[in-house]
Amino acid sequence: MRVLVSGGAGYIGSHTVIQLIAAGHDVIVVDSFANAKPSVVGRLEALTGMPLDVRSFDLTDHDKTEHLFADEQIDAVIHFAGFKAVGESVEKPLEYYENNLVSTFSLVRAMRRHDVRKLVFSSSATVYGDNAQVPMQEDAPTSATNPYGWTKVMIEQVLRDVAEADPSWRIALLRYFNPVGAHPSGTIGEDPSDIPNNLMPFIAQVAVGRREKLSIYGGDYPTPDGTGVRDYIHVEDLAAGHVAALHRLGQTDTSVNTWNLGTGHGTSVLEMLHAFERAVGHELAHEVVDRRPGDIAESYADPTKAQAELGWRATRTVDDMCVDTWRWQSANPDGYP
Ligand code: UDP
């Protein structure tokens, strides 16, 4: 298939591009490079051994989006592009709603106009809000605790309504749990532009000497060791989930399909820290501080629906995630050039 990958230069997008090409798909990347570095492209070309078709523009630009679909025969779209920093979304709600929603409207309009009806959307386990039961199942009610999360809830709703109005759409809403890890080559990985909000890139930056110590947000949660529990999933498993979802959309009778992409296993902050220490070979400085507002005690997927319907499952362990993250971070202490 000829697949347009929006946000294909980003963390999850770049790993997915490699697997799409390996699976025989023809890929076009569109990325604004607002949060991705152009040097990713050369690294993807080195890994795949072929030139990558990259269009550098923002999907909120309706004309450019329209022209792309007018000029190219596209069979399906994987839509990763979007702002994703929770804290920043609280400070800049309007920018988050506008960017994430308008880019999706522009994309879906162009798809409709050019009769492209297969769409895989990057949603998030954040749509389960702060009241969900674990393990989280796809039919649980959705809500959010910050503007970033609301953009995911809203876009899911928009896409369900679009598919309701025209059942010829084939849409996958992929709810990611906590993506971590890096390509085993160590040449591509997660490269936060600011001080990392997320646990894994923060630990990696402590390990490489860019940060003094990890602050563990809360040691008094009702979890086995008192620290927060999450379902960390290796980005390579997540990328494979996208390829499987794309394949499945060609066969399914249902116009909207929601799938959790997680491992089904919870890991605490302390367990993750210790796994990273094993990967690095020494202890890492840390202290337990107050809980972070908005955090929940535990989040992990019930992945059985994705396993049954996609024939996919996450296979990589927490140790794999840490070893691969460390290979990337130690080879690229300051991220991409
Ligand atoms: N966390 C932490 N210190 C950090 C960043 C995160 O203790 O510097 C904890 C956080 O409280 C949560 C877990 O690590 O329990 C995962 O947080 P992250 O921000 O990576 O993902 P999310 O909260 O979105 O699941």
Side-chain angles (χ1 to χ4, degrees), residues 128 135-139 175 177 231 248 258-265 300-314:
Y128 293 117
M136 289 154 170
Q137 292 182 324
E138 287 86 348
D139 57 5
R175 294 180 177 162
F177 280 69
D231 185 340
R248 179 71 190 145
T258 307
W259 289 303
N260 281 340
L261 297 185
T263 66
H265 301 292
Y300 52 92
D302 178 345
T304 49
K305 184 169 182 283
Q307 290 171 351
E309 295 175 12
L310 299 178
W312 162 92
R313 70 173 56 232

Side-chain angles (χ1 to χ4, degrees), residues 86 124 126 177-178 180 196-203 214-218 221 227-232 267-269 289 291-292 294-297 299:
V86 171
S124 166
T126 197
F177 280 69
N178 290 59
V180 298
N197 286 305
N198 295 116
L199 179 66
M200 189 67 136
F202 202 102
I203 296 177
L214 172 71
S215 297
I216 297 178
Y217 298 138
Y221 282 106
T227 66
V229 166
R230 296 290 183 274
D231 185 340
Y232 298 94
T267 302
S268 75
V269 176
V289 300
R291 293 181 181 187
R292 181 172 64 179
D295 275 358
I296 56 177
S299 159

Side-chain angles (χ1 to χ4, degrees), residues 229-313:
V229 166
R230 296 290 183 274
D231 185 340
Y232 298 94
I233 175 168
H234 197 298
V235 66
E236 290 279 285
D237 282 327
L238 195 56
H242 288 74
V243 179
L246 193 65
H247 184 68
R248 179 71 190 145
L249 285 185
Q251 309 163 337
T252 177
D253 293 333
T254 38
S255 54
V256 179
N257 304 269
T258 307
W259 289 303
N260 281 340
L261 297 185
T263 66
H265 301 292
T267 302
S268 75
V269 176
L270 275 173
E271 286 171 331
M272 189 53 108
L273 177 69
H274 295 325
F276 211 95
E277 289 173 336
R278 284 195 293 278
V280 177
H282 58 80
E283 289 185 3
L284 297 170
H286 61 277
E287 66 173 338
V288 177
V289 300
D290 287 346
R291 293 181 181 187
R292 181 172 64 179
D295 275 358
I296 56 177
E298 45 178 3
S299 159
Y300 52 92
D302 178 345
T304 49
K305 184 169 182 283
Q307 290 171 351
E309 295 175 12
L310 299 178
W312 162 92
R313 70 173 56 232

